[in-house]
Structures are given as structure tokens and as C-alpha cells.
Amino acid sequence: MSEDIYFKRDIFEIRESKELKYKKEDINEILNLLIFNSLKERVSDIHIESKENSVKIRVRIDGYLKLYEELEKNLGIRLITKIKLLSELDIGEKRLPQDGRFKGQFNEKKIDFRVSITPTIFGERVVIRLLKNNVSDLLIENLGFTSNNLKKLEDLLKKKSGLLLFCGPTGSGKTTTLYSIVNYLANENLNILTIEDPIEYQFSNINQIQCKSEIGLDFSVILRSVLRQDPDIILVGEIRDKETAEIALMASLTGHLVISTLHTIDSLTAIDRLINFGIDKFIIATAITAIESQRLVRKICSICNGKKGDCCNNGFRGREAVEEIIFFDNQIRDLILYKSTKEVKEYLEEKGFKNLLQNGLLKVEKGITTKEEIMRECFI
């Protein structure tokens, strides 16, 4: 894959704040400083919001939004126009949503910026997601999984077939987990194909396919085509409907390792979701090898030990996953076929299965996070 498949335009060179002259009306310098500070403060998303008489900028750090700056209205509109130009979007279109991307570079490191623009009552609202384009940092051992679950997951990833499902709400870190697994599996001896919407990180040694629903190129259409591409491993960004679910499950039964996500609150609910899609219980029981559910929790700052210094955000710095994983065995498969998920839950409890809340409280005992954080994210 060409490294610059999305970016035929100039790269936005990001300079350190001390290099800037910073003129109040210079849009380039305003944007540069916003991005520089965002990289420095580990910001994941920048929100630029048109209000009645101003444009408000907020940034998301470790899952929480905080005010960055409020610009005079005309200056804010010029900033939004600059972002549109960088992303090669229509600067004259202000009535319809638009999506784009642009690329920046800071200290020889490339950063991708995914841009979403939508109209609001007082003007346009822009969200920029910062994607540090360093896939070598995506390691499954850094996700925060318990050692027992991580070892079992690594064993499953050595298999040549089966479906691994990763569940959770938006913002729970599922995409990072999937990319970390792809990075772990990437091998010149394997044909790995991904179907994504959108592609967030680019890998040089795997084949990535972008969905384009506006021309009918959705997950199910691409997945059917991919099966004729001699794949070893298939990553499906998200299972959204019955057709995609059926193809993914059948692919896992015909000698492919399939990895995907599903929007459910926990692992057990994923089974019910697939049944509600109308998928045959036999296929569900036979094809799936494991279902994982996760949440992201803030970690107590290791520099100030949570004392809320300048080094962190209210005593927290960084996030990691809290997970639960159901590893399918013959008993679970029989219970899905002949009983219900209630009986599966009872069986798991007898076997010592630890759910999200229980694994989260283990992190509290180890001093990684707080009980309040776990109860907020993991109490279902």
C-alpha cells in the first residue's frame, strides 16, 4: 500500500510554540499552536463549535472535554475555512456534513488528522481526531488486559480459523484493540485484509480497504469480494447487520481467522444480538471462539500519584482497557444451542469468570485507577 494513499496534498508542518511569532489574526499560527498544544497535552479530539457570537474550542484529554479557547466569531469562521482547505473539502458548502483528512508533521513524525464537519444552528461544528501514525506503538501487551486473558487471547490468535468479537460502546477502545491485534499478527507469510470505515491507521504490510457506502461499497459487499482474495486473516471493522454477520461467521468456519467488533454493552449481550439478527444458533456456537467486552478507564498519574499536579489532568494521566473475555468451550456451545444466555452466565460464574466490574476492581487494588472511575465506566 502506498504510504500516502489519502494525502496527495501538502503536509502541514507543525512548529513548536517558541518558533511562532503568533500574530492574533494569523490563522496558520492559530491552527499551528492549537495542534502543537494538543500533541503536547495528549489530546485525542479537538472540537471547534460555532456559537451565536463566538467560536468555542474544546479538547478531549483522557476521555474528558475541557475548554481550550474562545475565538471571535469571524476569526473562528476563518479557522474552519482553513481546516476545510487542508482537508480538500468544499469551503462553500455549509448546509451538509462533510468528512475529510489532512496530514501533519512534527519533528519528522507524521500525524493524521481526521476531520468531521456538520452544520449547527449557529454555524459549522468541526471535530478533528488526532491519529499519531506510529503503528509500532500499538502493542496488545500495552492495552491493560489481565495477564491470564492476554495469554489465552494470544493462543487463539495462533489459530487459523474462528471469529473473535470485540464489544463495547463508542469510545471504549475497540478500534485500538483491533489495530494492536493486526500489528501483532502482521507477517509476510500471511495475507491480512482489513475492511474499515474509516481507515484510521495505515499499515505498510497489510491490505486495507475503505468502505464507501455512498456507492454501495459497504462491509458486506467488500467481505464477499475479500473471500475470493485468498485471505488468511480478515478484519471487519464493525458488524452492523445480519448479512455482514452471516458472511463473517461463515468465513470463520471455512478456514479464516476473522476479527470484528459489535456494539453491545457486554460479552453475553453479543450472543443475544446475533440471535436477534436472525443468525442460526448452530453457526453462532460453532464459529465464535471468543467474545471480549471492554471499557477505557483513566489511570492515576504516576508522576504525582494523583495529587493533581501540572503533569496530569485532575490527577489522571493516560487510559487503559478494562476487559472481560468469554472463551468458548464445548459446554458454552451446548448451552447456546439448547439453553439460553442466562444459563451461559450461570456456567461462567461457576467457572470463576471475571466480568468488567471485577477486573476493574483488581486495577483499583493495584493502584492503577480509582473505584469511582471503575464504577462510572464498568458498572452495567
Side-chain angles (χ1 to χ4, degrees):
M1 170 181 255
S2 171
E3 184 182 0
D4 294 318
I5 188 168
Y6 290 108
F7 309 104
K8 304 301 182 185
R9 63 205 68 143
D10 293 336
I11 293 174
F12 186 71
E13 293 288 345
I14 304 156
R15 294 173 292 158
E16 292 195 38
S17 57
K18 61 185 178 183
E19 297 176 12
L20 301 177
K21 299 174 183 176
Y22 196 63
K23 299 174 184 175
K24 187 177 179 182
E25 301 295 320
D26 190 324
I27 292 300
N28 283 323
E29 301 238 331
I30 291 172
L31 181 59
N32 192 112
L33 192 61
L34 171 60
I35 292 175
F36 172 76
N37 287 334
S38 295
L39 292 172
K40 181 181 175 183
E41 298 296 325
R42 302 170 295 105
V43 167
S44 61
D45 301 88
I46 300 169
H47 292 235
I48 302 171
E49 305 165 328
S50 295
K51 302 300 180 184
E52 187 173 7
N53 299 308
S54 64
V55 172
K56 183 188 290 186
I57 301 175
R58 295 190 293 167
V59 293
R60 189 179 295 279
I61 303 173
D62 294 337
Y64 279 78
L65 281 170
K66 74 173 188 179
L67 182 64
Y68 171 82
E69 188 177 6
E70 196 152 357
L71 299 176
E72 185 266 331
K73 184 82 177 202
N74 288 334
L75 198 59
I77 291 172
R78 288 174 55 202
L79 177 62
I80 292 171
T81 301
K82 173 65 180 178
I83 293 165
K84 281 184 172 183
L85 288 169
L86 280 172
S87 309
E88 294 188 352
L89 298 177
D90 184 351
I91 62 172
E93 179 57 76
K94 298 182 180 181
R95 301 166 300 168
L96 296 172
Q98 296 190 75
D99 294 310
R101 305 172 75 112
F102 68 94
K103 177 170 280 190
Q105 182 168 301
F106 177 65
N107 289 342
E108 298 184 355
K109 291 184 179 179
K110 291 181 180 178
I111 303 104
D112 295 344
F113 300 91
R114 196 177 82 210
V115 177
S116 172
I117 302 178
T118 192
T120 69
I121 189 172
F122 293 121
E124 293 179 295
R125 188 179 193 279
V126 181
V127 175
I128 305 172
R129 172 153 289 188
L130 284 67
L131 302 166
K132 295 179 183 177
N133 209 354
N134 188 1
V135 296
S136 61
D137 292 339
L138 299 169
L139 304 172
I140 57 174
E141 57 265 33
N142 293 341
L143 294 172
F145 288 11
T146 61
S147 56
N148 186 43
N149 280 345
L150 181 60
K151 176 65 172 63
K152 288 181 179 179
L153 181 60
E154 287 175 337
D155 289 341
L156 284 182
L157 292 174
K158 294 172 185 175
K159 295 183 179 295
K160 293 186 176 180
S161 62
L163 173 64
L164 300 176
L165 270 182
F166 295 85
C167 306
T170 301
S172 59
K174 300 187 300 299
T175 300
T176 299
T177 297
L178 257 63
Y179 277 122
S180 299
I181 287 173
V182 167
N183 195 37
Y184 175 81
L185 291 169
N187 187 317
E188 282 296 328
N189 299 319
L190 295 172
N191 179 20
I192 302 176
L193 291 160
T194 75
I195 307 166
E196 305 173 60
D197 185 21
I199 293 172
E200 295 198 1
Y201 292 90
Q202 296 176 50
F203 291 80
S204 59
N205 54 350
I206 67 171
N207 301 286
Q208 296 172 272
I209 304 167
Q210 169 74 53
C211 288
K212 295 179 181 177
S213 56
E214 65 274 13
I215 61 170
L217 193 65
D218 55 21
F219 283 110
S220 60
V221 171
I222 298 172
L223 187 49
R224 287 185 188 279
S225 173
V226 157
L227 290 173
R228 297 190 290 272
Q229 290 284 313
D230 186 31
D232 296 300
I233 298 165
I234 305 169
L235 182 149
V236 183
E238 184 182 345
I239 291 176
R240 296 175 179 172
D241 53 47
K242 179 183 178 181
E243 188 178 9
T244 306
E246 281 183 332
I247 303 169
L249 287 159
M250 292 306 296
S252 71
L253 290 172
T254 54
H256 306 93
L257 180 62
V258 182
I259 305 163
S260 190
T261 70
L262 194 64
H263 279 275
T264 61
I265 59 170
D266 61 15
S267 303
L268 278 171
T269 310
I271 299 171
D272 288 330
R273 180 80 182 276
L274 291 172
I275 292 171
N276 289 337
F277 273 157
I279 309 295
D280 187 274
K281 284 187 177 182
F282 177 79
I283 296 175
I284 295 171
T286 310
I288 296 175
T289 52
I291 303 177
E292 184 260 15
S293 181
Q294 67 180 65
R295 300 290 189 277
L296 289 179
V297 296
R298 294 180 298 171
K299 298 191 293 183
I300 295 171
C301 179
S302 58
I303 300 172
C304 68
N305 293 318
K307 294 179 181 177
K308 303 181 181 181
D310 295 334
C311 53
C312 59
N313 188 25
N314 289 322
F316 295 95
R317 184 180 176 87
R319 292 188 294 173
E320 71 175 38
V322 176
E323 92 295 352
E324 63 177 32
I325 309 182
I326 299 174
F327 295 97
F328 278 41
D329 58 21
N330 290 334
Q331 183 66 29
I332 289 175
R333 292 187 169 94
D334 286 341
L335 290 169
I336 291 171
L337 276 171
Y338 305 113
K339 299 291 184 178
S340 68
T341 49
K342 181 182 178 182
E343 279 80 10
V344 175
K345 183 178 181 181
E346 291 171 356
Y347 169 73
L348 288 170
E349 289 172 350
E350 290 173 7
K351 294 283 288 184
F353 169 78
K354 285 187 169 57
N355 61 25
L356 281 168
L357 184 58
Q358 291 166 325
N359 279 332
L361 292 174
L362 289 175
K363 291 185 184 290
V364 177
E365 292 176 12
K366 293 178 181 178
I368 295 171
T369 188
T370 64
K371 187 175 181 180
E372 291 75 19
E373 187 73 5
I374 295 298
M375 297 303 289
R376 184 176 63 85
E377 293 290 347
C378 303
F379 187 74
I380 300 172

